[in-house]
């Protein structure tokens, strides 16, 4: 078996003592020299042909010596050609001597090879024995033993230890050749096949000198393993038990493959002796006592833990599971659990993000799971979920690589479900807080909860006739959502139907099974049958109540193959129902208030302008803010005896208080103008009304009358208001009769100024929101207003210019309400009414 060097163990070291230098190369050099000398002396030729194979035999390599001898004999025969004595007596003598020398050299090489082999093996046994002398580290001991065995005794060497009394643990692998790393990884992960026969029974030795394909098929675990075994090129192997102090503690496997050698019976006998020496060295180094100690400690400690714990070998084979792990997997004992193959378990594994990790898989069957990772284990049949945090620690082997992987599985289901509940509460809270439309809010809500909390979700609201009307529905499957909607419509339920008052008065979620309609209220049994027909099973219903008032009912349903709703899910549904009921009630109240506010705002907006023959009018009305349709500025046209009273004003403040002051001002002025027809008396009446209100209530007003028929006579009274402007061909001037603001003084009085307008003259009245508008250049100002009105031909053009100038000047939206009226006396001629004599009040709502 040993065809290596005499003094050097590694044949791959091309040194002075290798067979290449001590055998073949000298022979070839000698033959070449012989030819170069062209020697003709029979003594010289015979000497060369005898000495060369004999010298080669000193290498102790039979095969090399035989090759050199054959070459020498052939050369001896060929020498008759150049000596021209072929087929003479001297030729045959020379040829016979060369052949004899060749045979003798082969014999000498055979003797030396056996002697060298015996010497090397004795040296190997001595070196193995020395490894256990001073109790070095286990990794060092194993490493040195493998270095001695490969490639001297084998191309592949494997050592397995008996673990747990009845199983094998691979502890060391060594291969030889350029592909050694790949081969070692394969053998480390491969299940043992032959060794168990040697370790636990028989005479402890198996020799196979000629490995055939049938032997590989018997050893292979499957078709893929067979192909990989064939790729090794195994020619023969010896498998022998490791025995120390009367007990079997492991197995040694010596395999010949790439070198082309084969084992002999002598090799097998030596392998038994070597195995005993290796076993003694390893036992002295403490390997097997440490393994047994580790196993006993693990079995004792892990068995008393409450959380699931498993121990797997380096290959991934399960060797230990405590009672909690057996209960988690639903297995009766370790044997049943260890035999379960990946893909056959009742659970599917998912990561935290919901990605599938494996179907029919248990956590310890996924060795790639990193420490600290959280996985979700879902029962494939009824959907029960368990969240596990993986905590693992490796126990190093003698080669400093993991020998065992101890893994604990912390049940964090409550924590994950609590996180889920908080996320649902946060999402629903944001949704409910952001929506004031009850219908839209409910549809978004059921879509949010599906499928996070249930496969289906629906909300029913009471109608005026007592029926429960579908308000929102969602399902994880769009097609089933449509069918569920149809089923609810097809089986209406009345709140006072049989069994419904008891359900609607429940303070906690009520569970039903769609497959058992008898457990439902009588009024809802047809609906239960319809739901069951859609493949839904567990149903959870929760009334929506605010105090004693019923707001509606929310229902959740899961597919029939899923588990019933858990206690935590019921608590989530209860909290959601409380928030939803309050949100629906608040949204309904907000909607009603918004409708009232809209009605009030519409009532506060200027009404459409009446037709004033002889007078052309146009208006601008722009409340501050995008959402406001009515502000603190106002204007009105009021019918009085002998004409019309035009009022425009601005109350202090914003919001509801300003709106109430606007309403007070408009209706007070409307009543006073109708009774008196006098601007001063109308202002005095509004002043008294404002003074009667608690707190400060101030209002600026410009009141003026227009005669009818139109002759251009205008009476003007101003109470703390920007002065009106008269625009005519000669220019623009202010009309400024003095007068204090309304609501400030009880004894206030206002002057009344009478104006006579000519046809084409315009009177522009505006609130301070126009001139106080802010832009990059500061205030809009009265001067800018006068300039933009300079050559306006009619009220429409005047108002359009004001609107355009404000839009270009202001930065963003106006910060204050703005209103303006432009009035022009027309030249009636023969009494026709011009087309532009009246403009709708709504024409000036926007500045854009």
């Amino acid at each position: 078996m040993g065809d290596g060097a005499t003094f050097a163990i590694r044949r791959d070291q091309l040194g002075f003592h290798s067979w290449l230098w001590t055998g073949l190369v000298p022979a070839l050099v000698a033959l070449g020299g012989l030819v170069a000398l062209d020697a003709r002396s029979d003594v010289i030729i015979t000497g060369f042909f005898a000495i060369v194979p004999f010298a080669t035999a000193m290498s102790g390599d039979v095969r090399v010596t035989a090759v050199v001898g054959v070459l020498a004999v052939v050369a001896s025969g060929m020498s008759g050609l150049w000596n021209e004595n072929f087929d003479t007596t001297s030729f045959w003598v020379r040829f016979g001597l060369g052949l004899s020398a060749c045979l003798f050299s082969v014999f000498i090489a055979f003797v030396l090879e056996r002697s060298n082999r015996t010497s090397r093996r004795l040296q190997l046994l001595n070196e193995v024995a020395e490894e256990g002398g001073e109790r070095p580290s286990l990794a060092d001991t194993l490493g040195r033993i493998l270095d001695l065995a490969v490639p001297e005794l084998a191309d592949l060497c494997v050592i397995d230890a008996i673990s747990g009394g009845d199983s094998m643990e691979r502890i060391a692998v060594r291969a030889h050749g350029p592909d050694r790393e790949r081969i070692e990884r394969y053998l480390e992960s491969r299940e043992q096949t032959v060794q168990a026969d040697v370790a636990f029974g028989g005479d402890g030795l198996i020799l196979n000198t000629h490995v055939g394909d049938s032997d590989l098929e018997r050893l292979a675990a499957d078709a893929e393993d067979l192909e990989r075994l064939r790729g090794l090129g195994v020619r023969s192997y010896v498998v022998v038990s490791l025995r120390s102090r009367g007990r079997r503690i492991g197995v040694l496997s010596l395999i010949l493959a790439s070198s082309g050698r084969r084992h002999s019976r002598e090799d097998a006998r030596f392998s038994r002796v070597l195995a005993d020496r290796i076993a003694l060295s390893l036992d002295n180094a403490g390997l097997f006592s440490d393994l047994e100690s580790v196993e006993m400690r693990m079995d004792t400690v892990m068995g008393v833990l409450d959380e699931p714990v498993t121990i797997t070998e380096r290959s991934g084979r399960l060797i230990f599971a405590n009672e909690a792990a057996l209960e988690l997997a639903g297995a009766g004992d370790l044997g049943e659990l260890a035999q379960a193959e990946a893909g056959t378990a009742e659970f599917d594994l998912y990561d935290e993000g919901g990605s599938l990790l494996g179907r029919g898989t248990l956590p310890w069957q996924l060795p790639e799971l990193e420490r600290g990772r959280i996985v979700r284990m879902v029962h494939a049949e009824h959907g029960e979920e368990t969240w596990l945090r993986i905590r693992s620690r490796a126990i190093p082997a003698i080669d400093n690589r993991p020998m065992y992987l101890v893994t604990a599985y912390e049940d964090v289901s409550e924590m994950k479900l609590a996180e889920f509940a908080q996320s649902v509460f946060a999402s629903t809270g944001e949704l409910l807080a952001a929506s004031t439309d009850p219908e839209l809010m409910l549809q978004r809500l059921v879509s949010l909860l599906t499928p996070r909390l249930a496969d289906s979700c629906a909300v029913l609201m009471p109608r005026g006739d007592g029926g429960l009307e579908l308000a929102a529905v969602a399902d994880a499957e769009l097609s089933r959502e449509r069918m569920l909607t149809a089923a609810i419509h097809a089986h209406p339920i009345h709140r006072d139907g049989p069994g419904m008052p008891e359900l609607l008065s429940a303070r906690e979620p009520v569970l039903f099974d769609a497959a058992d309609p008898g457990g439902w209220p009588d009024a809802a049994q047809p609906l239960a049958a319809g739901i069951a027909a859609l493949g839904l099973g567990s149903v959870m219903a929760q009334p929506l109540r605010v105090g004693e008032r019923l707001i509606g009912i929310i229902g959740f349903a899961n597919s029939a193959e899923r588990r019933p709703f858990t206690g935590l899910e019921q608590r989530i549904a209860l909290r959601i129902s409380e928030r939803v009921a309050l949100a629906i009630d608040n949204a309904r109240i907000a909607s009603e208030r918004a409708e009232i506010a809209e009605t009030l705002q519409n009532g506060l907006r200027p009404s459409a302008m009446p037709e004033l023959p002889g007078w052309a009018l146009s208006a601008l009305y722009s409340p501050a803010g995008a959402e406001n349709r009515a502000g603190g500025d106002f204007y009105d046209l009021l019918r009085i005896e002998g004409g019309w009273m035009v009022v425009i004003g601005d109350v202090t403040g914003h919001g509801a208080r300003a709106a109430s002051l606007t309403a007070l001002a408009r209706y007070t002025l409307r009543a006073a103008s109708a009774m008196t027809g006098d601007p001063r008396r109308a202002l005095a009446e509004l002043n008294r009304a404002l003074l009667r209100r608690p707190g400060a209530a101030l209002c600026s007003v410009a009141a003026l009358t227009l005669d009818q028929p139109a002759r251009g006579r205008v009476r003007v009274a101003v109470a703390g208001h920007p002065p009106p402007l008269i625009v005519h061909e000669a220019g623009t001037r202010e009309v400024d009769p003095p007068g204090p603001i309304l609501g400030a003084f009880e004894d206030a009085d206002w002057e009344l100024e009478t104006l006579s307008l000519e046809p084409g003259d315009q009177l522009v009245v505006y609130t301070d929101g126009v001139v106080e508008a802010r832009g990059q250049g500061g205030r809009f100002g009265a001067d800018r207003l006068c300039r933009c009105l300079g050559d306006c031909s009619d009220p429409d053009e005047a108002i359009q210019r004001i609107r355009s100038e404000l839009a270009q000047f202001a930065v963003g939206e106006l910060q204050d309400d703005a209103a303006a009226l432009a009035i022009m006396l027309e030249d009636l001629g023969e009494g026709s009414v011009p087309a532009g004599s009246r403009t709708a009040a709504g024409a000036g709502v926007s500045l854009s």
Side-chain angles (χ1 to χ4, degrees):
M1 181 176 69
D3 59 347
T6 302
F7 300 106
I9 291 178
R10 291 190 177 276
R11 289 172 46 198
D12 55 345
Q13 295 175 344
L14 195 60
F16 177 75
H17 296 290
S18 69
W19 58 265
L20 185 62
W21 290 107
T22 59
L24 185 59
V25 171
L28 293 177
V29 171
L31 290 175
L34 180 63
V35 173
L37 292 173
D38 193 20
R40 296 181 179 272
S41 171
D42 287 343
V43 175
I44 296 175
I45 294 174
T46 302
F48 267 98
F49 291 156
I51 293 173
V52 169
F54 182 78
T56 306
M58 295 300 100
S59 67
D61 193 311
V62 175
R63 288 182 295 178
V64 174
T65 303
V67 170
V68 172
V70 170
L71 292 175
V73 171
V74 171
S76 176
M78 297 297 293
S79 66
L81 296 177
W82 67 72
N83 284 337
E84 299 178 354
N85 60 357
F86 187 77
D87 202 23
T88 63
T89 301
S90 62
F91 168 78
W92 289 113
V93 170
R94 187 170 68 247
F95 184 79
L97 290 174
L99 179 62
S100 300
C102 174
L103 295 176
F104 182 72
S105 298
V106 171
F107 173 76
I108 293 298
F110 175 75
V111 172
L112 289 177
E113 183 181 65
R114 290 181 60 86
S115 176
N116 292 338
R117 181 188 306 165
T118 302
S119 176
R120 290 196 305 272
R121 289 181 174 179
L122 290 174
Q123 181 181 358
L124 177 62
L125 291 176
N126 290 333
E127 292 178 353
V128 170
E130 292 174 359
E131 291 300 328
E134 299 179 359
R135 190 177 173 87
S137 68
L138 298 177
D140 290 342
T141 300
L142 262 185
R144 291 172 185 171
I145 288 174
L146 294 174
D147 288 339
L148 295 173
V150 177
E152 174 63 25
L153 301 178
D155 300 322
L156 306 172
C157 180
V158 179
I159 298 178
D160 299 285
I162 296 178
S163 172
D166 59 355
S167 62
M168 305 294 294
E169 168 70 16
R170 182 148 294 171
I171 61 174
V173 174
R174 179 62 58 83
H176 177 67
D179 207 17
R180 57 174 292 184
E181 293 184 0
R182 181 186 62 82
I183 296 174
E184 288 177 357
R185 287 195 301 269
Y186 162 59
L187 293 177
E188 286 170 356
S189 62
R190 187 177 180 276
E191 289 287 342
Q192 299 81 4
T193 51
V194 175
Q195 295 91 324
D197 301 335
V198 179
F200 305 115
D203 62 355
L205 185 143
I206 294 177
L207 168 65
N208 191 334
T209 58
H210 291 78
V211 177
D213 201 60
S214 59
D215 298 314
L216 298 181
E217 291 177 354
R218 180 174 57 85
L219 296 175
D222 50 38
E224 181 182 358
D225 190 37
L226 176 60
E227 290 301 318
R228 300 184 75 172
L229 285 176
R230 287 170 177 166
L232 294 179
V234 178
R235 296 174 57 85
S236 67
Y237 60 77
V238 174
V239 182
V240 59
S241 63
L242 298 173
R243 295 175 294 190
S244 177
R245 298 180 176 91
R247 61 192 180 110
R248 298 190 183 192
I249 57 178
V251 172
L252 171 68
S253 300
L254 300 171
I255 304 168
L256 289 174
S258 59
S259 65
R261 299 173 291 171
R262 295 186 186 275
H263 288 111
S264 64
R265 294 190 178 278
E266 181 184 353
D267 296 332
R269 289 192 295 270
F270 176 75
S271 298
R272 188 189 293 277
V273 176
L274 177 65
D276 291 341
R277 291 288 183 95
I278 292 175
L280 183 61
S281 297
L282 294 177
D283 203 14
N284 288 339
L287 168 62
F288 299 101
S289 59
D290 282 359
L291 289 177
E292 293 174 356
S293 176
V294 168
E295 291 171 2
M296 288 188 295
R297 289 198 300 269
M298 287 193 301
D299 289 350
T300 302
V301 174
M302 305 306 174
V304 300
L305 296 178
D306 292 331
E307 63 183 7
V309 177
T310 61
I311 302 175
T312 53
E313 294 179 339
R314 178 188 300 168
S315 63
R317 186 172 68 91
L318 181 70
I319 62 171
F320 174 83
N322 65 356
E323 290 296 327
L326 295 176
E327 182 180 351
L328 175 67
D333 54 44
L334 178 61
E336 175 186 350
L337 195 59
Q339 293 174 3
E341 298 180 359
T344 62
E346 297 179 332
F347 299 93
D348 297 333
L349 292 182
Y350 300 85
D351 62 14
E352 286 189 276
S355 299
L356 180 67
L357 298 175
R359 293 198 181 278
T361 307
L362 294 167
W364 45 86
Q365 293 172 336
L366 293 176
E368 69 274 10
L369 290 179
E370 61 268 18
R371 182 181 180 185
R373 187 170 187 178
I374 294 180
V375 299
R376 180 166 58 100
M377 192 168 72
V378 181
H379 197 285
E381 181 178 352
H382 53 70
E384 183 177 356
E385 297 181 357
T386 303
W387 291 82
L388 301 172
R389 187 194 304 276
I390 309 298
R391 293 181 296 152
S392 58
R393 184 176 294 276
I395 297 179
I398 52 178
D399 55 359
N400 291 325
R401 291 184 298 174
M403 177 174 64
Y404 297 121
L405 185 66
V406 181
T407 308
Y409 307 90
E410 180 186 0
D411 189 338
V412 294
S413 301
E414 286 295 323
M415 180 192 75
K416 294 302 295 182
L417 289 176
E419 289 180 1
F420 166 71
Q422 290 301 322
S423 69
V424 171
F425 294 152
S427 300
T428 54
E430 293 175 2
L431 172 63
L432 299 178
S435 179
T436 57
D437 183 342
E439 294 182 2
L440 180 60
M441 176 191 68
L442 288 177
Q443 189 56 53
R444 289 178 176 174
L445 174 69
V446 296
S447 299
L448 173 68
L449 298 177
T450 306
R452 299 179 68 184
L453 186 59
D455 293 331
S456 300
C457 183
V459 177
L460 282 71
M461 305 283 287
R463 297 193 306 262
D465 61 358
L468 294 176
E469 182 179 24
L470 181 63
V473 64
D475 193 284
E477 301 176 12
L478 183 60
S479 59
R480 188 168 62 185
E481 179 179 318
R482 290 193 291 264
M483 292 187 288
L484 179 59
T485 302
I488 295 175
H489 286 311
H491 305 289
I493 303 174
H494 197 280
R495 61 183 297 177
D496 296 325
M500 290 304 297
E502 291 79 6
L503 172 61
L504 296 176
S505 62
R507 298 295 181 179
E508 294 184 353
V510 182
L511 298 183
F512 300 103
D513 186 355
D516 180 22
W520 291 57
D522 293 344
Q525 289 181 6
L527 177 59
I531 291 177
L534 300 179
L536 296 173
S538 179
V539 177
M540 176 171 57
Q542 174 61 55
L544 305 174
R545 309 184 70 90
V546 176
E548 297 301 322
R549 288 188 299 115
L550 177 68
I551 304 299
I553 184 170
I554 185 170
F556 305 90
N558 278 334
S559 298
E561 61 270 14
R562 289 189 60 183
R563 53 167 174 72
F565 289 99
T566 64
L568 177 62
E569 290 169 333
Q570 295 176 51
R571 294 194 295 273
I572 294 175
L574 177 60
R575 290 190 58 183
I576 289 176
S577 67
E578 293 171 349
R579 297 187 179 192
V580 171
L582 188 59
I584 293 175
D585 199 40
N586 290 338
R588 181 175 297 169
I589 293 173
S591 178
E592 293 174 354
R593 289 179 176 175
E595 184 177 354
I596 294 172
E598 182 177 5
T599 301
L600 291 174
Q601 281 195 342
N602 290 335
L604 293 175
R605 286 174 53 82
S607 56
M609 288 187 177
E611 186 174 316
L612 278 67
W615 298 98
L617 294 89
S618 187
L620 166 70
Y621 182 72
S622 181
E627 302 298 325
N628 290 333
R629 283 184 284 180
D633 287 10
F634 63 91
Y635 66 83
D636 219 339
L637 277 77
L638 311 172
R639 183 66 177 179
I640 61 174
E641 185 178 353
W644 294 83
M645 181 181 293
V646 179
V647 294
I648 183 169
D650 180 9
V651 301
T652 58
H654 297 280
R657 178 172 174 80
S660 67
L661 289 178
T662 300
L664 174 65
R666 290 187 64 189
Y667 290 105
T668 301
L669 291 172
R670 185 169 296 176
S673 64
M675 290 186 297
T676 66
D678 184 353
R680 294 176 59 192
R681 295 180 63 182
L683 294 179
E685 188 61 35
L686 178 56
N687 187 60
R688 287 191 290 270
L690 292 173
L691 290 171
R692 287 195 295 266
R693 288 179 62 92
L698 303 178
C699 178
S700 63
V701 175
L704 51 98
T705 61
L706 305 177
D707 58 2
Q708 196 68 208
R711 297 183 179 87
R713 183 171 179 270
V714 180
R715 294 181 297 164
V716 180
V718 177
H721 197 273
L725 299 175
I726 295 180
V727 181
H728 48 73
E729 293 181 356
T732 302
R733 68 179 181 86
E734 292 182 350
V735 179
D736 192 13
I741 192 169
L742 301 176
F745 308 103
E746 293 184 2
D747 56 351
D749 190 18
W750 298 270
E751 293 186 6
L752 188 62
E753 184 171 339
T754 301
L755 305 175
S756 294
L757 300 183
E758 296 296 330
D761 290 347
Q762 295 187 59
L763 187 64
V764 178
V765 193
Y766 58 91
T767 61
D768 61 359
V770 174
V771 294
E772 295 295 334
R774 309 297 296 185
Q776 294 183 350
R779 293 172 61 251
F780 187 82
D783 292 341
R784 189 186 303 272
L785 178 60
C786 291
R787 287 196 299 271
C788 79
L789 294 174
D791 56 352
C792 293
S793 60
D794 57 53
D796 285 342
E797 183 180 358
I799 293 301
Q800 183 58 41
R801 285 194 181 184
I802 296 174
R803 182 182 294 115
S804 300
E805 289 288 332
L806 281 175
Q808 294 177 8
F809 179 81
V811 178
E813 297 178 352
L814 295 178
Q815 301 301 309
D816 195 6
D817 306 326
L821 284 171
I823 307 167
M824 184 182 75
L825 177 65
E826 294 183 314
D827 186 0
L828 297 182
E830 297 180 357
S832 61
V833 179
S837 62
R838 58 189 176 101
T839 303
V845 170
S846 173
L847 289 180
S848 59

